[in-house]
Amino acid sequence: MTDLTRVLAFAARSRVPGGFGYAGDDGTVLPGRPVETWISARMTHVFGLATLLDHPGAAELAEHGVTALRTGPLHDAEHGGWRAATDDDTKAAYVHAFVVLAGATATAAGVPGGHELLTEALGVWEQRFWDDDEGLARESFDRSWTTAEDYRGANANMHGVESTLAAADALAPSDPGVAARLRTRALRATERIVHGWTRERDWRLPEHFTHRWEPLPELNRDRPADPFRPYGVTVGHQFEWARLCWHLAAALGEHAPGWLHADADALFTAAVERGWAADGHEGFPYTLDWSDQPVVGARMHWVLCEAVAAAAVRSALTGDPRTATLQHRWAELGERLFLDPSVGSWHHELTPEGAVGSGTWAGKPDAYHLVQMLLLPGRPVRGSVAAAVLASR
């Protein structure tokens, strides 16, 4: 059975100067790869969560991540913000959302430098990426912030919702006004993407857009297994957006619009009914086309993790025994097929038949989805995973 302590021990092996590296199958950092901000920020978040749970050694690893993000080579002291990687000067919303998340969790856990990291990262997010006229985040810029990419994406905005909810939870005790603003912005983005475009398409989530936020449904048809911008409907993101809708509703309390729960249920149901065993093999394919046919049949660990996490939240909210059954069924699948007993972590990609695959992901880059999945069941439904963990201490 997957054990959090073993997962964290595996994750700790990815520590490198300047952050955390891309881990291979055995946890050893793959040689020749740059240090990437999204991995360093996610792992800082993971060890921040572990610090909240008083795991031995977690606080030192979380502090290492915070220090690396604040002063290491990924941080751009000249122009502000964070490079995508040590060999890539792109300033990407996806990457910066995870720096905000890392800062929020480090702040909640009392990690030295965490509040300063959160303050800086939020400032960059709000000044550079957030487009208040659209109620959504821009995608990316060059290093000096002079040229913006024409593309816009739902993925970066989804993680922007996640990170701003976490930041709101971390800052609410000291600055409730900022927390309220962040939650309002998370609601605006969710309303446009979920209650707008996704609902209009019968709960088929569009991922790609022009700079005017016109959908690009055919983008990357020629390379559908792209790790960040795949063609078609990404089943795991439907589960992830559903969970975020429920967390957002909980964070907003009496001010939450009723559609948040209704839309989350619809997204969850669509992902289950259209995604599960869509190609005749158990599990969820990575992507479907717009007629609900499988495109990339690979089974990604993060998709199953998000399915389990969403089911855990839905079960806690509704008490629905059918959802609890699904949660346990999917968790059992993870234990049976994805768990690598030699190291305690999960394989990141399998073939539809259950063999280890590497068409999109080589090795086991990080522990973010798996750790969050392990921590959510049995905890209060709140605006962020860190808040749920903190509330259950």
Side-chain angles (χ1 to χ4, degrees):
M1 185 172 182
T2 306
D3 176 72
L4 178 62
T5 299
R6 289 196 72 198
V7 174
L8 293 171
F10 175 87
R13 298 186 65 188
S14 68
R15 175 178 176 163
V16 295
F20 295 93
Y22 188 115
D25 288 324
D26 63 356
T28 304
V29 173
L30 294 181
R33 290 192 68 109
V35 179
E36 299 174 73
T37 303
W38 69 277
I39 290 178
S40 291
R42 281 183 173 190
M43 297 299 275
T44 302
H45 164 66
V46 162
F47 289 114
L49 293 175
T51 300
L52 286 168
L53 294 169
D54 298 320
H55 270 267
E60 195 275 330
L61 286 162
E63 186 173 355
H64 165 75
V66 168
T67 301
L69 290 169
R70 290 187 65 206
T71 64
L74 296 169
H75 181 257
D76 187 345
E78 180 181 357
H79 297 286
W82 285 265
R83 301 174 175 89
T86 49
D87 66 350
D88 183 354
D89 287 340
T90 303
K91 303 289 178 61
Y94 179 89
V95 164
H96 283 73
F98 283 114
V99 179
V100 173
L101 181 64
T105 305
T107 298
V111 177
H115 187 268
E116 291 79 5
L117 176 62
L118 175 58
T119 299
E120 181 178 0
L122 261 183
V124 174
W125 179 266
E126 295 195 289
Q127 293 165 24
R128 298 294 190 179
F129 292 104
W130 181 253
D131 183 340
D132 203 54
D133 292 335
E134 295 285 357
L136 293 163
R138 304 176 185 90
E139 186 69 17
S140 71
F141 296 83
D142 63 354
R143 182 186 173 191
S144 62
W145 306 100
T146 55
T147 304
E149 184 180 9
D150 285 340
Y151 172 89
R152 300 287 186 270
N155 190 10
N157 276 276
M158 180 182 71
H159 288 294
V161 169
E162 175 189 35
S163 66
T164 50
L165 286 177
D169 288 329
L171 296 173
S174 60
D175 200 334
V178 170
R181 183 182 76 233
L182 293 173
R183 288 167 180 156
T184 297
R185 290 183 172 180
L187 178 63
R188 290 183 66 195
T190 303
E191 183 169 15
R192 288 209 70 186
I193 292 173
V194 174
H195 196 56
W197 291 303
T198 305
R199 180 174 57 89
E200 292 165 1
R201 288 159 178 76
D202 194 23
W203 309 108
R204 294 173 180 89
L205 174 68
E207 297 278 358
H208 314 302
F209 302 83
T210 70
H211 71 282
R212 295 188 178 91
W213 287 100
E214 301 157 333
L216 293 170
E218 296 304 302
L219 186 77
N220 283 349
R221 179 183 276 276
D222 59 337
R223 49 190 183 98
D226 189 276
F228 298 108
R229 297 180 184 180
Y231 161 74
V233 177
T234 309
V235 178
H237 286 167
Q238 293 178 293
F239 284 121
E240 209 162 350
W241 272 110
R243 174 173 61 81
L244 289 171
C245 284
W246 285 314
H247 284 170
L248 180 54
L252 293 172
E254 63 182 11
H255 302 294
W259 60 260
L260 278 170
H261 282 281
D263 287 13
D265 280 336
L267 270 173
F268 182 89
T269 300
V272 175
E273 293 182 350
R274 296 167 182 165
W276 177 260
D279 54 6
H281 299 284
E282 63 181 343
F284 297 101
Y286 180 32
T287 58
L288 307 175
D289 67 16
W290 301 105
S291 298
D292 308 324
Q293 298 303 304
V295 177
V296 179
R299 271 48 176 172
M300 306 299 183
H301 95 292
W302 73 264
V303 174
L304 189 62
C305 287
E306 289 300 332
V308 173
V313 173
R314 189 173 194 261
S315 179
L317 283 170
T318 66
D320 176 20
R322 294 169 298 179
T323 304
T325 298
L326 291 176
Q327 175 191 341
H328 295 303
R329 178 186 183 186
W330 299 337
E332 184 276 330
L333 178 67
E335 298 295 329
R336 178 162 44 88
L337 293 183
F338 281 92
L339 175 62
D340 181 351
S342 67
V343 295
S345 191
W346 281 18
H347 298 294
H348 268 44
E349 180 178 340
L350 303 178
T351 68
E353 296 77 19
V356 177
S358 59
T360 298
W361 295 107
K364 303 180 178 74
D366 77 309
Y368 155 79
H369 289 282
L370 181 57
V371 167
Q372 292 199 152
M373 182 203 75
L374 293 172
L375 293 182
L376 274 173
R379 286 182 162 82
V381 178
R382 291 283 296 275
S384 68
V385 177
V389 173
L390 191 61
S392 66
R393 291 183 73 182

